[in-house]
Each structure stands twice: as C-alpha cells, then as structure tokens.
C-alpha cells in the first residue's frame, strides 16, 4: 500500500495562497482523515479526495495514515485499482483539528461508507483507550467479553452489538486481555477467542472482522489510532 500527499493539488484544495504582501501564505483550517478497507470480498482499492488520488493499492484490512484535509465538506471516492468506477462516493464534513476514520464496510455488493469521529486524546497514565467496532457483515449481533487470559467469561463488557456499531472508548489498564465474541445470548458459542495486548499510552480501535473473501475464521483486527 502506498500513501502519498497531494502536493500541489492538495495545496490548491487547502487554499494555501500568497497574500500578496509580506505576511506570506494564509493558513487554512484542517482536520485529519484516514481510510480503512473493511469489505472482505472487495478487491484492492484506491482512495480519492475531491478528485485527486490520495491513497493507492489498499488491500483488505489495511488502513492509511491520517491525512491532513481542509475543513469543510470533502468528497471521497473508493475505486478498485485500475478502475475509474467508484464503489463508494461520500461527501463528509471535516472540522478543524478533528480526527476521523472513513471505513469501507460490508460485502462488495452492498459496500458502504462508515464515518467515525475519533477521540485521540491521551489516556491516563498506565492506561490505554480502546473502542470496539463490529465489522463482520455475515455475523449478527454479538456480545463481547474481556477478561484476563484464561479467566472465565463472566459478564459481557458489551452486549447485543449489531453490525457496524461502534462502542464508546473504554479506558483499560495496560496489559494483555483475552477477548471473546459470541452471538448475543449464546455464551457457549465462541466465534472469536483472541488475546489482545493494550500498551500504555495507546488509543486503538479493535474491529471484529471476517477472513478475506468473507466468513470464517473471524478475528479481531487492532488499529493503533495514536500512541503517546
């Protein structure tokens, strides 16, 4: 996957222009947006911002870095590599100094954008901040259990989480956790059983995902949003 800045094209989008006096360029308000490919049966894609390619060759389960984007309404297009046909075209708001994640979700026949506002403020000392996203289109609502490794399930940390739902940020002590995901109300049917390490000072997004092409085995994909 290759990520590139827009260079002169992005400068034009951001509206950085000479003032015509000794004050130099005018700074324009920007936010930050990253792109994530979560459509299990979709091909590798390119991402365009206001008509200019900003991310290329993004495979399933990969994400871009955060890109600086001018505040305002911005139009993103997602195209299969080598095609000029958009599978997603979405106009989304970008506010000054706000971070966002734009995800391509669902199977390719029903692919759609999911646009999240990110809170990348630092965790408290010795903690991590993690949010959970249900990104597996073939799976119904789920319960999520978070325990110490080897501990019994106990009560779920999150219940009845539908596809495309995202939790709030959970503050957790840094460490290793056993995360188990079951269909809602069926604690004996474990669809995902995976150990996740949450380092101190990290803000992350944990996503329940399918195998490439769709279906089992299911897994948890962790995106590190920011590390302090």
């Amino acid at each position: 996957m290759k990520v590139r800045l827009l260079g002169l094209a992005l400068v034009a989008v951001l509206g950085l222009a000479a003032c015509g006096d000794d004050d130099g360029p005018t700074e324009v308000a920007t936010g930050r947006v990253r792109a994530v490919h979560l459509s299990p049966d979709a091909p590798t894609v390119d991402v365009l911002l206001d008509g200019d390619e900003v991310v290329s060759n993004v495979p399933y389960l990969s994400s871009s870095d955060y890109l600086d984007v001018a505040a305002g309404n911005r139009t993103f297009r997602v195209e299969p590599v080598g095609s000029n046909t958009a599978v997603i075209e979405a106009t989304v708001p970008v506010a000054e100094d706000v971070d966002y994640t734009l995800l391509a979700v669902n199977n390719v026949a029903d692919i759609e954008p999911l646009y999240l506002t990110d809170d990348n403020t630092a965790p408290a000392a010795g903690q991590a901040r993690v949010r959970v996203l249900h990104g597996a289109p073939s799976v119904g609502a789920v319960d999520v259990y978070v325990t110490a490794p080897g501990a019994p399930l106990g009560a779920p940390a999150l219940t009845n989480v539908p596809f495309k739902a995202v939790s709030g940020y959970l503050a957790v002590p840094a460490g290793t956790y056993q995360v188990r995901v079951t269909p809602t109300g069926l604690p004996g049917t474990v669809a995902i059983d995976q150990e996740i390490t949450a380092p101190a000072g990290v803000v992350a997004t944990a996503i329940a995902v399918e195998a490439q092409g769709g279906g089992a085995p299911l897994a948890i994909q962790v995106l590190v949003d920011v590390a302090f």
Side-chain angles (χ1 to χ4, degrees):
M1 179 181 69
K2 177 184 70 175
V3 178
R4 64 182 180 85
L5 295 178
L6 290 177
L8 293 178
L10 182 56
V11 169
V13 172
L14 296 180
L16 300 181
C19 294
D21 55 28
D22 293 336
D23 293 337
T26 300
E27 293 187 3
V28 172
T30 63
R32 299 196 309 162
V33 183
R34 66 173 173 179
V36 183
H37 185 340
L38 281 188
S39 177
D41 61 345
T44 301
V45 299
D46 299 328
V47 181
L48 291 78
L49 166 63
D50 293 334
D52 293 299
E53 184 181 295
V54 288
V55 188
S56 62
N57 297 316
V58 184
Y60 178 53
L61 299 183
S62 292
S63 65
S64 73
D65 295 329
Y66 281 104
L67 306 175
D68 290 330
V69 176
N73 291 326
R74 307 266 69 91
T75 298
F76 285 86
R77 286 169 56 93
V78 177
E79 300 176 349
V81 171
S83 169
N84 293 321
T85 301
V87 293
I88 289 176
E89 184 165 347
T91 299
V92 296
V94 177
E96 182 179 5
D97 296 329
V98 177
D99 293 344
Y100 302 90
T101 298
L102 178 64
L103 306 103
V105 299
N106 217 330
N107 292 314
V108 68
D110 299 301
I111 195 169
E112 57 186 309
L114 181 61
Y115 193 56
L116 306 180
T117 301
D118 304 341
D119 180 359
N120 285 329
T121 54
Q127 293 191 335
R129 296 175 59 247
V130 183
R131 62 181 173 178
V132 177
L133 169 65
H134 184 341
S138 69
V139 178
V142 299
D143 296 335
V144 181
Y145 298 81
V146 181
T147 70
L153 283 181
L158 300 169
T159 60
N160 200 28
V161 181
F163 173 55
K164 296 187 294 185
V166 60
S167 74
Y169 288 87
L170 309 174
V172 298
T176 299
Y177 296 88
Q178 186 171 358
V179 180
R180 284 164 280 192
V181 179
T182 74
T184 292
L186 298 173
T189 305
V190 178
I192 299 175
D193 186 349
Q194 188 171 329
E195 288 193 1
I196 300 294
T197 298
V202 162
V203 180
T205 302
I207 309 172
V209 299
E210 301 182 12
Q212 185 164 15
L218 306 180
I220 296 172
Q221 180 83 359
V222 178
L223 301 179
V224 175
D225 304 342
V226 64
F228 293 92

